[in-house]
Amino acid sequence: MSKKDNAEIRIYGENACAAVFKKRPQDIIQFFLTKEKLNKYSNITKYCAKNKRAYHLVLREELDKMTKATHHEDVCMLVNKKPVRTLTQFLLDKKKSSLLLALENVGNPHNIGAIIRSAAHFGVDGIILTEGKSSDTASAIRTSEGGAEFVEVFEEKNFHKTLDLLAKNKYQIITTSSHAKISLYEVEWQNHIVIVFGEEAFGVTKEIQGLGTAIKIPGTDYVESLNVSVATAVILSDYYQKVKTK
């Protein structure tokens, strides 16, 4: 794969494509849509025509093959990938407050996309992923429903070192476990926070669990735990209510 190919990505889904057009239309390379969506997205096709970006009317079956999916909602774009910063560069900004999520070994693209969607809704600044657990797959971006355009993503090889770095930068480290003693609703959120979630099957590893304050989402205990994307939304809702609505 060439550097050029590696710098481009194919995305699909109405909200995902609309978010790219709203946030960074200059990064659209090609736009594909069915004739049924031509009127709805005439603003994008007019932009493409004016700025010498190709757009193509295609059959739904062609989009099925192009996207390797059937829920593309009749639209697809080839776009440049978003410019990315490292976590170290992000920390140099010295924001007065910030909220990060760290996803240890979470790999399911639909869960990652759903988490990004919630993160955008509740104002998360960035998401830290284990290196190789990519957030820029087409399915993750579609599932984020446009949220991927508004949340930074940082890939880190060593989560222990990453959390040590955040601790040195005065971040409150919150880990999650269905077996924790402290309830989510007891947490007093600080100005700089990183909330750690673990992989779908096993949760946060013991090594990482010990680096922060472990919390649980109280409930009936009829089930072992919530899906990681659902748990993320519940915790972020508490954060937003306590911090953002003051």
Side-chain angles (χ1 to χ4, degrees):
M1 181 177 289
S2 70
K3 289 183 179 179
K4 181 178 179 182
D5 291 334
N6 197 39
E8 299 170 356
I9 186 170
R10 190 166 285 171
I11 65 169
Y12 55 82
E14 289 196 43
N15 288 334
C17 291
V20 170
F21 180 63
K22 179 180 179 180
K23 191 89 183 299
R24 50 188 182 101
Q26 72 280 1
D27 283 332
I28 298 172
I29 300 169
Q30 294 185 73
F31 182 40
F32 305 87
L33 70 165
T34 62
K35 65 179 181 180
E36 288 81 7
K37 291 296 171 74
L38 186 57
N39 286 337
K40 184 172 184 179
Y41 291 104
S42 61
N43 57 338
I44 300 181
T45 57
K46 287 176 182 176
Y47 172 86
C48 288
K50 182 178 179 180
N51 292 276
K52 298 182 179 179
R53 305 286 200 275
Y55 73 88
H56 310 273
L57 290 181
V58 295
L59 297 174
R60 187 167 293 140
E61 292 76 14
E62 292 178 87
L63 282 177
D64 290 347
K65 292 179 181 178
M66 190 182 301
T67 62
K68 298 179 182 178
T70 56
H71 39 261
H72 43 68
E73 300 174 313
D74 287 3
V75 289
C76 174
M77 283 179 176
L78 179 67
V79 302
N80 292 313
K81 288 185 178 181
K82 290 192 304 180
V84 295
R85 294 191 291 177
T86 64
L87 181 60
T88 301
Q89 289 169 330
F90 171 83
L91 293 174
L92 289 174
D93 273 0
K94 302 293 183 184
K95 290 186 173 184
K96 290 183 179 180
S97 64
S98 61
L99 174 61
L100 300 173
L101 305 182
L103 310 183
E104 186 191 19
N105 295 320
V106 176
N108 183 302
H110 297 287
N111 278 336
I112 291 174
I115 289 169
I116 294 172
R117 182 179 183 177
S118 294
H121 180 76
F122 289 111
V124 171
D125 295 285
I127 295 177
I128 303 166
L129 293 179
T130 308
E131 191 174 63
K133 305 293 186 180
S134 182
S135 63
D136 62 4
T137 60
S139 56
I141 292 172
R142 186 202 66 80
T143 306
S144 80
E145 296 289 351
E149 290 300 314
F150 301 93
V151 181
E152 290 195 75
V153 175
F154 313 104
E155 290 192 23
E156 296 291 332
K157 184 181 296 185
N158 187 313
F159 256 51
H160 197 297
K161 287 184 178 178
T162 299
L163 293 179
D164 282 345
L165 173 65
L166 290 171
K168 289 176 182 176
N169 281 268
K170 310 301 182 185
Y171 271 74
Q172 176 188 23
I173 299 174
I174 301 292
T175 61
T176 53
S177 169
S178 58
H179 306 293
K181 303 297 183 184
I182 300 173
S183 165
L184 159 66
Y185 306 116
E186 298 173 42
V187 175
E188 293 185 10
W189 301 104
Q190 297 177 13
N191 288 333
H192 299 282
I193 309 151
V194 56
I195 309 171
V196 186
F197 297 88
E199 64 176 307
E200 292 84 352
F202 303 107
V204 178
T205 60
K206 288 183 178 179
E207 177 191 18
I208 298 302
Q209 196 73 257
L211 298 180
T213 300
I215 65 169
K216 68 176 290 183
I217 300 171
T220 62
D221 294 328
Y222 291 160
V223 293
E224 172 67 19
S225 62
L226 294 172
N227 171 276
V228 64
S229 65
V230 175
T232 302
V234 171
I235 292 174
L236 291 180
S237 179
D238 181 77
Y239 163 84
Y240 194 87
Q241 186 274 326
K242 289 177 178 175
V243 177
K244 296 293 189 179
T245 60
K246 282 184 178 180

